[in-house]
Amino acid sequence: MELGLRNRLAIVCAASQGLGKATATLFAQEGAHVVICSRDSRRLAAAAKEIQGIAASGARVLAVTADLTKPAHIKRLFRTALRTFGRIDVLVTNAGGPPVAAFSDLDDRTWQRGIDLNLMSTIRCIREVLPVMQKQQWGRIINITSFVAKQPADDLVISSTVRPGILGLSKVLANRFTREGILVNSVAPGFILTARQQEIGAVRAKAAGITPPEYLEKLGKTIPAGRLGSPEELASVIVFLGSERASYISGTTVNVDGGFMKGII
């Protein structure tokens, strides 16, 4: 299927590894130019080089070091992208997750960082890109959230509180801007095998008195698909939502979880 992404420009946040990197890679392989960001400049440069090496002919990859908890960094990211490419067609919001902790162990500072990292970064990125997409009368915004946006987890308190707000924001924006050719959707990953998942697994394994590999094996058995997902499987859904082919999908949340979530909505 031709996705119509050649020469489009996609900004993929937090793309030096994991879900973001897999997503940026697939956009580049489909012929889109890609701007990636991360706080870790060394890892980011390595990711950009790797993605460029397997990108489709003509696709360019630009790395911009940015801390998504800092508004000035976000503004610089979008100014750089627009100055370099003259357009922004796709935005994929993404950021690292808050810590694994019980409610009683979370102080105000930790809560505020989680809110800035996961909710405010999404708001600020969308705020920067909307005027550009309105001028173009075309755009795709895809927010990477988590299954906890629909099915909260007791030890992911901040994430379970903040991420449902992103789903609400996505719906409001879709209601408002779809008529202008700007489609807004979210994806809710289940258990995807990334460094973040291994970090969470290590904490949960310790609490359960088992090894991390044992925890991941047991976790896989709770998923109808019988295993954890791969970053590339999530990326395939995101890239489709960012394409011409997703022209009648807006205001929805796509679960990418191997059947893990129990609800019907």
Side-chain angles (χ1 to χ4, degrees), residues 106-124:
L106 297 168
D107 58 19
D108 281 4
R109 183 176 180 180
T110 307
W111 271 100
Q112 191 59 59
R113 176 163 178 78
I115 292 167
D116 286 340
L117 181 64
N118 293 117
L119 178 60
M120 292 309 301
S121 70
T122 299
I123 291 169
R124 289 164 179 153

Side-chain angles (χ1 to χ4, degrees), residues 12-65:
V12 183
C13 297
S16 65
Q17 62 179 335
L19 306 180
K21 182 181 176 185
T23 299
T25 298
L26 189 51
F27 269 117
Q29 289 177 323
E30 289 292 329
H33 305 303
V34 181
V35 176
I36 61 174
C37 73
S38 170
R39 289 175 297 176
D40 189 326
S41 57
R42 183 176 299 179
R43 182 180 287 167
L44 182 67
K49 183 178 180 180
E50 181 182 338
I51 296 168
Q52 187 67 76
I54 56 178
S57 176
R60 296 170 57 193
V61 181
L62 175 65
V64 179
T65 303

Side-chain angles (χ1 to χ4, degrees), residues 153-228:
D154 292 348
D155 58 353
L156 296 175
V157 184
I158 296 177
S159 193
S160 297
T161 302
V162 170
R163 295 193 193 273
I166 295 174
L167 301 190
L169 173 66
S170 298
K171 193 66 174 178
V172 168
L173 295 176
N175 290 344
R176 168 62 180 82
F177 293 106
T178 297
R179 286 181 177 83
E180 298 184 45
I182 303 166
L183 311 184
V184 187
N185 293 291
S186 299
V187 292
F191 293 100
I192 309 292
L193 193 54
T194 61
R196 165 69 173 168
Q197 191 56 242
Q198 290 172 331
E199 172 192 332
I200 294 172
V203 174
R204 290 175 172 171
K206 185 178 180 180
I210 58 177
T211 67
E214 288 172 332
Y215 165 78
L216 292 175
E217 183 180 0
K218 289 181 67 175
L219 176 61
K221 292 177 180 178
T222 70
I223 301 168
R227 61 177 177 83
L228 278 69

